[in-house]
Amino acid sequence: MTLILGIETSCDETAAAVVTDGRIVHSNVVASQVDIHRRYGGIFPEVASRQHVLSILPVIEKSLAEADIGWDDLAAVAVTYGPGLAGSLLVGVNVAKGLAWGRGLPLVSVNHIEAHIYGNWLVETPPPEFPSVCLVVSGGHTELILMTGHGQYQRLGGTLDDAAGEAFDKVGRLLGLPYPGGPAIQEAARAGTPTAFKLPRAWLPDTHNFSFSGIKTAVLRIVQKYRPLSEGQTMTKPRVVSSQAPPVVRVLPVANLAASFQEAVVDVLVEKTRRAAEEFEAKGILLAGGVAANERLRAEMLQRSPVPVRCPPPELCTDNAAIVASAGFFRFEAGERAGWDLDVVPGLRLPAEASP
Ligand code: KG4
Ligand code: ZN
């Protein structure tokens, strides 16, 4: 039985978790900064790293207490070293180094994108089979990956502009919804009609790439038509579009726009992932990352996929440290150890990256 302490601070969640053998979660503590960043409408990097400094030790202590274990029970400490925000990553990496050094434990460095994929090892048995096509969709990434073994990846494609989650967040802001936009759009979409607006889908044929800037601009153009006349009016308040009688009052159709946007993004994500699974004769599809918490994406993927689909529960899709401990376990088992000179790599790509 190999217990790993995972530490995650790549973005705006301070997280620590204890996981056995990369599969059994004993504790998974996440201190979210969402409420702090909401007032800025997005993540404020300097505030994020300062908040990590305040939260990291209590979060680690809580994860050990909830798992009911001591430092001597641990086999290693695994920590995210990239990709992510430099100042945020630095907090986790330095704390992990200090604790591992002080407790005489090995240190394992973990790629955040890989960690998201390993959320699929924390649910259900038996574990996923290889090869699997992985769709990693988060605030910072949209990656289509062929996973052929533990730590073995071929990057099939990714976004050429905005990440899927970034598009949700930006469109959420355009619609006057609270940050983060993803869950807010999902909620607003419940009352809307997905076919109300015909929004563009960037298919980028013959590639496994994605693009979300066109759909974002299309939503912006629609929203502009409903722009309030005077300051102080919000987008959802009625607007008089003609001063000539009779006055016409228009209200931004938030629910219909949210539903149409969500539908268009999900349509492209599902179709391109499904086709890649067919092309590479994958045994399964693995969803990962914060946007994989989207219930429409999960439902559509399950319905349209030719192969079994796995998707971690929402709390293992968004940033957490159990996924870091899981990915760290498989690297630890393979004999990998990080040196004490481990540094953060904010622009880190997939490990063992290769194009097919
Ligand atoms: O993986 P994650 O927690 O952090 C990053 O590594 O970026 O992903 C956060 C992203 C945000 O853009 C958020 O809006 C999106 O995931 N997200 C969702 C949902 N829940 C979170 N997007 C769509 N639907 C959701 N239910
Ligand atoms: Zn993430």
Side-chain angles (χ1 to χ4, degrees):
M1 206 171 81
T2 305
L3 277 118
I4 307 261
L5 171 69
I7 297 176
E8 157 66 41
T9 63
S10 68
C11 198
D12 63 340
E13 322 280 6
T14 316
V18 176
V19 173
T20 294
D21 297 338
R23 302 219 58 199
I24 301 153
V25 182
H26 296 286
S27 64
N28 193 13
V29 180
V30 180
S32 174
Q33 302 179 10
V34 157
D35 291 338
I36 296 166
H37 296 288
R38 188 167 286 136
R39 78 184 80 139
Y40 307 108
I43 296 162
F44 195 137
E46 175 69 16
V47 173
S49 50
R50 282 165 186 265
Q51 198 56 40
H52 284 309
V53 171
L54 294 176
S55 308
I56 187 75
L57 289 178
V59 163
I60 291 172
E61 276 167 6
K62 194 169 174 208
S63 75
L64 294 177
E66 282 186 8
D68 197 20
I69 61 149
W71 286 97
D72 293 342
D73 300 314
L74 290 171
V77 177
V79 64
T80 306
Y81 75 112
L85 300 169
S88 292
L89 289 164
L90 269 170
V91 177
V93 165
N94 282 322
V95 165
K97 278 203 258 187
L99 291 174
W101 173 273
R103 297 287 174 174
L105 290 166
L107 185 67
V108 181
S109 59
V110 171
N111 178 309
H112 183 78
I113 303 173
E114 181 178 47
H116 271 302
I117 294 172
Y118 274 91
N120 287 288
W121 267 261
L122 295 172
V123 284
E124 299 175 41
T125 37
E129 288 182 274
F130 301 119
S132 278
V133 163
C134 313
L135 176 69
V136 185
V137 269
S138 70
H141 310 282
T142 302
E143 305 273 337
L144 202 54
I145 297 155
L146 185 66
M147 185 176 187
T148 52
H150 287 295
Q152 301 295 313
Y153 307 97
Q154 284 181 0
R155 183 178 187 269
L156 304 177
T159 182
L160 301 180
D161 38 58
D162 289 348
E166 199 180 349
F168 268 95
D169 293 340
K170 287 178 177 170
V171 166
R173 213 176 308 157
L174 287 176
L175 299 183
L177 297 171
Y179 172 83
I185 285 179
Q186 174 176 299
E187 208 46 48
R190 285 187 214 287
T193 308
T195 50
F197 289 91
K198 205 167 164 22
L199 296 172
R201 286 143 167 83
W203 291 111
L204 308 180
D206 304 323
T207 77
H208 298 289
N209 290 327
F210 301 91
S211 166
F212 299 106
S213 62
I215 187 170
K216 186 188 64 190
T217 309
V219 174
L220 172 67
R221 295 276 171 269
I222 295 166
V223 169
Q224 279 172 337
K225 292 189 194 154
Y226 292 84
R227 192 157 269 169
L229 284 177
S230 57
E231 262 185 47
Q233 274 187 305
T234 67
M235 282 184 284
T236 49
K237 279 191 185 157
R239 171 194 164 179
V240 179
V241 291
S242 167
S243 55
Q244 320 285 308
V248 182
V249 177
R250 302 183 74 194
V251 178
L252 184 67
V254 173
N256 279 345
L257 268 171
S260 303
F261 168 79
Q262 178 174 260
E263 199 64 13
V265 172
V266 165
D267 191 17
V268 175
L269 290 175
V270 170
E271 192 54 29
K272 297 203 78 158
T273 307
R274 190 189 71 74
R275 281 187 210 164
E278 271 173 2
E279 183 182 338
F280 293 95
E281 296 178 359
K283 296 215 172 88
I285 287 174
L286 309 181
L287 296 183
V291 181
N294 185 273
E295 50 192 42
R296 193 82 194 104
L297 174 63
R298 298 158 81 97
E300 278 293 298
M301 196 71 91
L302 278 169
Q303 204 185 328
R304 283 155 62 178
S305 169
V307 289
V309 177
R310 279 169 187 260
C311 190
E315 67 276 14
L316 291 174
C317 286
T318 48
D319 286 349
N320 68 91
I323 60 177
V324 177
S326 175
F329 166 78
F330 289 99
R331 295 214 161 253
F332 179 76
E333 281 287 286
E336 283 191 27
R337 305 289 183 268
W340 298 116
D341 58 351
L342 174 67
D343 200 357
V344 301
V345 184
L348 187 67
R349 306 293 298 266
L350 260 183
E353 184 177 327
S355 292

